[in-house]
Amino acid sequence: MSAQPPTPPHMTVDEFLVWASERPGRHELINGEVVSQSAERAAHWKVKLAVHVALLNAVRAGGLNCHVVPDGATVRIDDATAYEPNALVYCGEEAAPSALTVDNPVIIVEVLSPSTGRMDRARKLADYFRLPSLAHYLIVDSNEPLVIHHRRQEGCDILTRIIREGATLLDPPGLEVVVAEIYGAS
């Protein structure tokens, strides 16, 4: 088996998308530097799948013209930074089959893991809200029922709610996510 060529020292998001599409695994680009994602544990997979199913059920129940995407789609923050969230929702026309990016996410979800927790709670929070389309950023704990819901308010304010039970309304686009659907009925 031949060795993979080295990662270029610095690249744009467009260069990164070409580079990453030819490589196995998950990668993100931060200030032009490629960051490989760590292997995920079973608890992470389980919660990530449950989030995706809960969002999909909520979109269907609301009859919304929105699309739920599991990890795999890239969200471009600027010319040198792009992330691959664990799930997202965008509304309107469906992305082309060949699309690698989602340009207008309304909801982005990151499931916490030991290796990404700090980044998800700080840098990604700030970066994701640079996107004009983003209304909600959910940080979901993989170990216990805990959803941190950051919601864009009027102006530049971000409202944060900590949710351990019950539901949270994500409006826009007008859907509700129930914590028990993510973590199982209590």
Side-chain angles (χ1 to χ4, degrees), residues 28-141:
E28 294 182 323
L29 188 70
I30 302 171
N31 291 332
E33 302 292 324
V34 173
V35 176
S36 295
Q37 300 298 297
S38 299
E40 295 175 346
R41 293 184 167 85
H44 192 90
W45 310 331
K46 183 178 176 181
V47 171
K48 190 166 59 170
L49 175 60
V51 164
H52 183 255
V53 170
L55 288 170
L56 189 59
N57 288 342
V59 165
R60 288 178 176 162
L64 301 171
N65 182 25
C66 297
H67 313 279
V68 181
V69 181
D71 61 8
T74 299
V75 173
R76 180 189 309 253
I77 304 301
D78 57 33
D79 290 339
T81 301
Y83 298 124
E84 187 181 312
N86 291 132
L88 64 82
V89 175
Y90 70 97
C91 300
E93 189 174 326
E94 192 166 3
S98 60
L100 295 172
T101 62
V102 172
D103 299 325
N104 58 343
V106 176
I107 302 166
I108 290 180
V109 181
E110 292 286 3
V111 177
L112 290 177
S113 67
S115 63
T116 66
R118 182 173 179 204
M119 178 80 145
D120 293 341
R121 289 186 298 262
R123 178 171 187 128
K124 286 185 178 181
L125 169 63
D127 280 350
Y128 283 143
F129 276 108
R130 291 170 52 197
L131 302 171
S133 65
L134 190 71
H136 308 277
Y137 175 42
L138 304 178
I139 300 173
V140 179
D141 196 294

Side-chain angles (χ1 to χ4, degrees), residues 125-126 128-130 134-137 149-161:
L125 169 63
Y128 283 143
F129 276 108
R130 291 170 52 197
L134 190 71
H136 308 277
Y137 175 42
H149 176 193
H150 300 284
R151 184 176 134 220
R152 186 185 308 270
Q153 298 289 106
E154 293 293 322
C156 299
D157 293 337
I158 305 298
L159 174 69
T160 299
R161 291 185 57 223

